[in-house]
Amino acid sequence: MPITESDIRKIAQLAHLEITEEELRAYTPQIAEIVTYVEQLNALDTSAVEPSTGGLTPEGERTTADRADEAQPSLGQELALDQAPDPASGHFRVPKVL
Amino acid sequence: MDFSEYSIETLRSRLSNGEARARFVVESSLDSAEKLNETLNAFLQIDRAGALARADEIDSSKNLRNAPLAGVPVAIKDNICVRGLQASCGSRILGPYHPPYSATAIERLQKAGAVIIGKTNCDEFAMGSSNENSAFGAVKNPWDTARVPGGSSGGSAAAVAAGIVPAALGSETGGSVRQPASLCGIVGFKPTYGRISRYGLVAFASSLDQIGIFGRKVSDIASVLGIVAGRDTHDATTADVPVPDYVGELAGDIKGARIGFPRELFGEGLDDEVRAAVLKTIEAYRELGAEIVEVELPHAKYCIAVYYIIATAEASSNLARYDGVRYGFRAEEAKDLKHMYRATRDEGFGAEVKRRIMLGTYVLSSGYYDAYYRKAQQVRTLIKHDFLRAFETCDAVLTPTTPTTAFLIGEKTDDPLAMYLNDIYTCTANLAGIPGINVPCALSSEGLPIGFQLLGAHWSEPTLFRLADAYERAHPFEARPRVHVASASE
């Protein structure tokens, strides 16, 4: 099923992106063309193939990422807030939610 | 004094025997960065004060002076965190962001005495094959400033090609080091997945991303990899695999090495001059005593389709963190939180990043996950198996790096799919997690560089370097671009 402008509008909403009418007209055919291109994968029978999730190398998969459950030094409040656009009394301040 | 033809080894010996001081080397690198940046737009930040202070520190400390990269100037792609410097990722959405910590690769480089002279321009969040997607303007190719340097690590590639630094870090998700290295006539390397820590590399597509290295010589890449490689507890995807002496393993004889030749990758879509030049390198290997064996990679042709599902899906998730709350840019005057998110992302992200976030959101959305993402991960397995099978009969597979030489700025910006096809020879390595290296081999009739790449099995970096180094010794690539330190200082 070809992608329509209303699909793109919905996807943009899901992705928290605001797009203009002009962008909508540009993106729709481009994304439709890319989706058509990637659908060439449907020609392959992959019913018996495991998806590649997890480690890409056997050595990577064998490497354990566990460590002792002990507190480690971290950034700290001051540094963590240092780059915030609107910090206030030790918090990240944002516009009203409701 | 012009250091632009020095290998790291030569530079190090001049520095350690007192013929040159770190301050002098670093200052001349900074001078050329500042001077050539007007033409190339390769740097987003040049850290003169910090780099000179570090150089002085090296000159005045005997211990530091003996460190393996002491006084060697390097440039870092602007999506890798360096404490004290900016990290814009070529995007507006990071605003004035200065990371509070350094990437593990950076800490290791600095501990080894390397001096960071600046942060290099790149496609926004490393998404692009031409560097035209940077919010801060395109980088120009030093060979012809009307052309792209490739992407996404175009700034790092241009800085090395122009002779400003002997080595630079970039990042690879689908070819973003090898492809610009090819278009700029230098060596570009992508390691095995898990070889270099990604801690402090801004995430794009986590199952594909790796930090990569640019240099003018294979031995320089080997020197830098030996420093930055290895297990890091901050990155659970780094593997517990010993780091060999990459430099020590060079200069070996390659007689009897087996080079895999995948005939089907030399067909349609490949520029005639590039094909001829790369086929010549196969002959060159034969003359060096290697055996050429035909290999088949029947699923390689699906790599772009697989790549653009997996990379965009992972990107849509990774880039959800840019919401104007904790760091970077925030749009003003939004009436509530939801509108603040949307306005921030609308004003902060460029067109290609939005396109990929939407594509990724689409392929992961309810009802489509199995049809796209799962399917792509299955074909990814087939691509990986193709390579593993090929490596049963050969030590490395040789292919072109890019389908054409550097194209004109603006030539492909309106056609995203045509742009994506630039990665057709490179993105297989990212999907399979294997290492790859671009080596420059010829100039086209228009005077533009052509490169070939060698792809090896997981952890086969010593073999790849030995093979690449053997070619380089027999056929040194001596041409230099028009925009270059040597011509600028005349």
Side-chain angles (χ1 to χ4, degrees):
Chain A
M1 208 168 52
I3 287 190
T4 62
E5 288 192 2
S6 91
D7 293 326
I8 299 294
R9 201 175 277 124
K10 188 178 150 216
I11 296 164
Q13 212 168 10
L14 286 172
H16 279 163
L17 290 171
E18 198 133 354
I19 54 169
T20 62
E21 287 300 310
E22 198 187 330
E23 283 176 315
L24 193 64
R25 278 192 297 277
Y27 284 139
T28 305
Q30 287 171 343
I31 293 181
E33 189 194 6
I34 298 164
V35 169
T36 306
Y37 178 83
V38 304
E39 281 175 348
Q40 63 175 289
L41 300 183
N42 293 338
L44 286 167
D45 177 9
T46 51
S47 50
V49 183
E50 279 296 307
S52 282
T53 45
L56 282 176
T57 65
E59 294 78 2
E61 241 166 297
R62 275 202 300 274
T63 301
T64 166
D66 296 350
R67 62 167 173 80
D69 186 16
E70 285 160 6
Q72 304 276 337
S74 60
L75 277 187
Q77 193 183 43
E78 200 180 316
L79 258 187
L81 283 165
D82 184 52
Q83 303 281 320
D86 188 16
S89 354
H91 295 81
F92 298 105
R93 183 161 55 195
V94 295
K96 66 176 179 174
V97 177
L98 290 170
Chain B
M1 193 171 167
D2 177 12
F3 300 100
S4 64
E5 292 299 321
Y6 284 15
S7 66
I8 290 180
E9 198 190 342
T10 313
L11 194 53
R12 282 293 306 131
S13 75
R14 296 278 192 283
L15 283 160
S16 63
N17 69 15
E19 275 178 59
R21 294 171 50 126
R23 185 179 177 99
F24 193 55
V25 174
V26 169
E27 198 163 30
S28 95
S29 174
L30 287 162
D31 289 346
S32 9
E34 282 166 1
K35 190 165 174 186
L36 297 182
N37 212 35
E38 292 164 22
T39 316
L40 297 175
N41 197 27
F43 286 86
L44 295 177
Q45 182 181 21
I46 297 171
D47 182 26
R48 176 172 281 273
L52 288 179
R54 184 65 177 158
D56 287 343
E57 223 179 311
I58 290 164
D59 283 328
S60 60
S61 153
K62 196 166 179 224
N63 268 346
L64 259 178
R65 227 166 37 228
N66 291 324
L69 296 178
V72 176
V74 294
I76 308 294
K77 187 178 183 179
D78 207 28
N79 64 347
I80 301 173
C81 295
V82 179
R83 195 174 47 243
L85 303 186
Q86 68 166 53
S88 75
C89 298
S91 180
R92 291 199 191 289
I93 207 159
L94 274 151
Y97 182 64
H98 278 60
Y101 67 100
S102 287
T104 299
I106 297 301
E107 291 203 339
R108 290 179 179 175
L109 275 182
Q110 287 179 324
K111 196 170 157 229
V115 179
I116 292 164
I117 65 148
K119 300 298 294 290
T120 55
N121 201 349
C122 57
D123 280 302
E124 184 174 6
F125 287 106
M127 297 180 187
S129 307
S130 69
N131 225 116
E132 292 163 290
N133 297 332
S134 167
F136 308 103
V139 175
K140 312 290 164 48
N141 190 315
W143 293 83
D144 177 353
T145 53
R147 292 176 187 274
V148 305
S152 64
S153 317
S156 287
V160 172
I164 297 168
V165 281
L169 294 189
S171 70
E172 267 242 7
T173 306
S176 285
V177 169
R178 287 164 290 152
Q179 188 256 14
S182 174
L183 302 194
C184 289
I186 56 173
V187 185
F189 162 72
K190 176 233 174 261
T192 304
Y193 188 81
R195 182 74 293 186
I196 301 178
S197 168
R198 294 179 298 124
Y199 181 69
L201 166 66
V202 175
F204 159 14
S206 309
S207 79
L208 301 160
D209 294 345
Q210 276 290 290
I211 287 176
I213 306 166
F214 292 98
R216 275 185 300 273
K217 298 180 85 65
V218 176
S219 60
D220 291 347
I221 306 267
S223 299
V224 174
L225 182 65
I227 300 298
V228 297
R231 172 85 181 132
D232 172 23
T233 51
H234 289 307
D235 176 2
T237 63
T238 52
D240 206 355
V241 174
V243 178
D245 176 4
Y246 294 113
V247 178
E249 297 204 21
L250 292 177
D253 188 357
I254 66 155
K255 273 197 184 62
R258 297 158 306 163
I259 303 277
F261 170 50
R263 189 177 293 279
E264 71 256 47
L265 296 189
F266 287 75
E268 203 187 336
L270 178 62
D271 175 86
D272 287 340
E273 276 194 86
V274 175
R275 180 185 300 112
V278 178
L279 287 174
K280 238 173 122 178
T281 67
I282 297 203
E283 279 320 303
Y285 274 108
R286 211 192 296 274
E287 280 161 26
L288 288 169
E291 182 194 339
I292 310 300
V293 294
E294 294 231 8
V295 294
E296 284 181 11
L297 301 167
H299 300 96
K301 59 175 178 279
Y302 297 107
C303 72
I304 295 289
V306 172
Y307 177 80
Y308 277 92
I309 293 172
I310 294 172
T312 60
E314 294 182 11
S316 73
S317 168
N318 273 326
L319 271 62
R321 72 190 64 176
Y322 302 102
D323 57 6
V325 174
R326 288 154 302 154
Y327 42 74
F329 164 78
R330 176 189 291 188
E332 299 293 330
E333 291 168 23
K335 62 177 190 224
D336 60 23
L337 183 64
K338 200 169 85 180
H339 284 91
M340 189 279 280
Y341 288 158
R342 293 214 174 137
T344 297
R345 289 162 68 81
D346 177 48
E347 291 171 42
F349 287 138
E352 178 61 19
V353 171
K354 288 185 192 171
R355 193 155 40 226
R356 293 201 197 189
I357 290 175
M358 286 196 282
L359 194 55
T361 305
Y362 177 73
V363 300
L364 288 178
S365 61
S366 171
Y368 293 113
Y369 178 88
D370 281 346
Y372 294 110
Y373 192 70
R374 188 181 154 83
K375 183 81 181 181
Q377 290 284 32
Q378 287 172 316
V379 183
R380 181 181 193 171
T381 302
L382 296 175
I383 291 171
K384 189 168 127 182
H385 287 169
D386 280 358
F387 277 98
L388 297 185
R389 205 166 317 127
F391 295 133
E392 288 169 9
T393 60
C394 67
D395 300 305
V397 169
L398 193 154
T399 82
T401 309
T402 56
T404 65
T405 53
F407 45 95
L408 292 167
I409 291 173
E411 195 178 322
K412 296 184 182 182
T413 38
D414 293 332
D415 188 349
L417 190 56
M419 188 71 93
Y420 296 172
L421 291 171
N422 275 295
D423 298 335
I424 192 140
Y425 300 114
T426 48
C427 74
T428 48
N430 306 76
L431 292 168
I434 59 175
I437 189 165
N438 171 76
V439 183
C441 62
L443 284 184
S444 72
S445 53
E446 290 178 299
L448 297 169
I450 297 172
F452 71 96
Q453 75 171 339
L454 294 166
L455 303 171
H458 296 137
W459 318 110
S460 70
E461 281 86 354
T463 308
L464 280 192
F465 291 161
R466 196 155 52 235
L467 290 169
D469 176 70
Y471 177 88
E472 188 184 74
R473 281 164 197 266
H475 304 273
F477 184 77
E478 280 162 346
R480 292 296 174 258
R482 257 180 278 174
V483 182
H484 190 268
V485 169
S487 41
S489 58
E490 273 163 17

